[in-house]
Amino acid sequence: MSGGIPIVDGEGKHGVVFDEPPEMEAMFRWHLGRFTEDERAQSLYWRQSTKALDMEAFQKMLRKIHPKLDGIKTIPQVVSYVDQILAAPSHQRFFANWASIEARAGGRLQELVLQRWDHLKPTSFFNFAPYAHHFLRVSMAFYVGLRVGAITTRKSNWIDVEYLRYLPFCKVFSTGDQLQVDMARELMSQDQDMIAADDLKADMARLIAWWNSLSKEDKHEEAAEYGQQPPDLDGSPTATLWRKTFGPRKKGRGNLALKMTPEQNKALFEKLRPQMEAAQAALARAKKAQQNNP
């Protein structure tokens, strides 16, 4: 498996261990409010670059490059137009290259993208790289929307639109920003849903109140049997969306380890000890090798 380290424990059992990816390590630190100096510098640069954006000048440049785009005035019309352009059969290789440029991939990586395209000879850019297609689709929708006035020149709009690049990785999208709402509604696939930020916040408050109303014993039972599955409260959009995405709430999907006795916990730990020790040793060797060969 890509990225995994094969291991064999003291009992001869085989397995694969994966180290904690840097993204997960960073997310854990951020949750605790711990940031590196590089992360603080990047955050400062992001805030300053947002203030420095001259959206009016950018809009004028786009209108000079594309003097005529008749009949396109709304976000739905913008996305429909972009989709027509992206579907043009004769420009699919060009779009693959444009996406790598838009993502600031660098010259060498751009060359590799085109080499892979020429080797595979895909039927479309979407089939070749679905996420890159989405990435470019978001950018094009922003450029065209700004050009025709469907998107205003508010400085934060570009940053707001960048959040839409994450759409393929979620089942439900929530926002309180009107531009994100309008664009997400057109960019989302049919199996995705959207919930207004205020509605989600209100429902979260209701779920917290429900949880706090439970006794200590009921909380333990709920966590053990149902885990993260929300309760079926009347009118709860969270419960409705959960059922649509994951199916009805069922027992046995929680953290059943909460019901294990101390003896059972100890026996399980001893059973897993050989694999855990082999995994720790393998990770230590991998890190040492990486330090010796930077």
Side-chain angles (χ1 to χ4, degrees):
M1 297 176 69
S2 178
I5 304 172
I7 63 170
V8 181
D9 66 19
E11 299 177 348
K13 295 179 180 178
H14 293 259
V16 179
V17 61
F18 293 85
D19 198 1
E20 180 182 54
E23 295 84 1
M24 290 299 294
E25 185 271 335
M27 290 290 288
F28 181 71
R29 283 191 293 100
W30 297 346
H31 179 70
L32 298 176
R34 300 172 184 169
F35 304 92
T36 66
E37 289 304 314
D38 284 345
E39 288 166 349
R40 293 184 186 278
Q42 290 173 4
S43 176
L44 177 62
Y45 172 78
W46 178 80
R47 291 195 297 270
Q48 291 176 340
S49 63
T50 303
K51 294 178 182 178
L53 285 172
D54 189 340
M55 298 296 284
E56 289 82 2
F58 190 37
Q59 185 182 61
K60 290 178 181 178
M61 182 193 73
L62 290 171
R63 288 176 174 173
K64 186 176 181 180
I65 296 173
H66 300 285
K68 286 194 67 176
L69 283 176
D70 296 332
I72 304 174
K73 297 180 180 180
T74 65
I75 295 295
Q77 290 172 337
V78 165
V79 176
S80 177
Y81 173 75
V82 167
D83 287 343
Q84 291 177 32
I85 298 298
L86 282 172
S90 60
H91 291 76
Q92 297 301 293
R93 187 178 187 274
F94 167 77
F95 291 138
N97 188 47
W98 184 5
S100 62
I101 295 172
E102 185 72 14
R104 302 175 186 175
R108 176 55 182 159
L109 188 55
Q110 290 174 37
E111 292 176 9
L112 292 173
V113 167
L114 293 180
Q115 287 176 16
R116 182 169 177 264
W117 177 280
D118 293 336
H119 174 72
L120 295 176
K121 295 180 174 56
T123 56
S124 70
F125 174 38
F126 178 81
N127 290 335
F128 175 70
Y131 179 70
H133 179 277
H134 171 78
F135 188 95
L136 184 59
R137 188 180 181 219
V138 171
S139 294
M140 290 178 66
F142 176 79
Y143 298 148
V144 174
L146 186 64
R147 159 63 184 83
V148 301
I151 296 175
T152 69
T153 56
R154 188 180 66 178
K155 288 183 180 294
S156 62
N157 275 347
W158 173 245
I159 304 300
D160 293 336
V161 166
E162 289 214 313
Y163 281 101
L164 299 175
R165 301 196 195 279
Y166 297 101
L167 277 178
F169 307 108
C170 70
K171 285 291 186 180
V172 180
F173 183 71
S174 181
T175 179
D177 181 85
Q178 192 57 49
L179 176 59
Q180 290 180 346
V181 169
D182 294 340
M183 291 192 67
R185 189 175 286 122
E186 304 305 317
L187 294 168
M188 286 165 46
S189 60
Q190 292 183 351
D191 64 343
Q192 291 178 302
D193 290 283
M194 181 161 50
I195 178 173
D198 288 343
D199 293 340
L200 181 60
K201 290 176 183 178
D203 202 35
M204 289 296 104
R206 188 180 174 202
L207 290 170
I208 291 171
W210 166 82
W211 177 259
N212 290 336
S213 71
L214 300 180
S215 65
K216 183 178 179 180
E217 294 75 18
D218 288 341
K219 287 179 179 178
H220 186 275
E221 180 70 15
E222 181 72 23
E225 291 293 347
Y226 295 101
Q228 297 181 348
Q229 300 174 90
D232 291 321
L233 302 180
D234 289 340
S236 169
T238 302
T240 300
L241 290 170
W242 181 279
R243 287 194 298 269
K244 178 180 177 181
T245 305
F246 301 107
R249 172 178 158 98
K250 291 183 179 179
K251 272 192 171 186
R253 292 181 175 177
N255 183 6
L256 297 178
L258 292 173
K259 290 191 171 184
M260 293 174 64
T261 65
E263 292 75 20
Q264 289 173 325
N265 271 305
K266 184 178 179 179
L268 179 61
F269 180 80
E270 290 302 324
K271 183 177 180 180
L272 296 176
R273 184 194 292 275
Q275 292 95 324
M276 294 169 62
E277 291 176 346
Q280 290 172 351
L283 290 174
R285 288 193 298 270
K287 288 180 180 179
K288 187 175 181 180
Q290 188 176 30
Q291 292 171 355
N292 294 335
N293 299 282

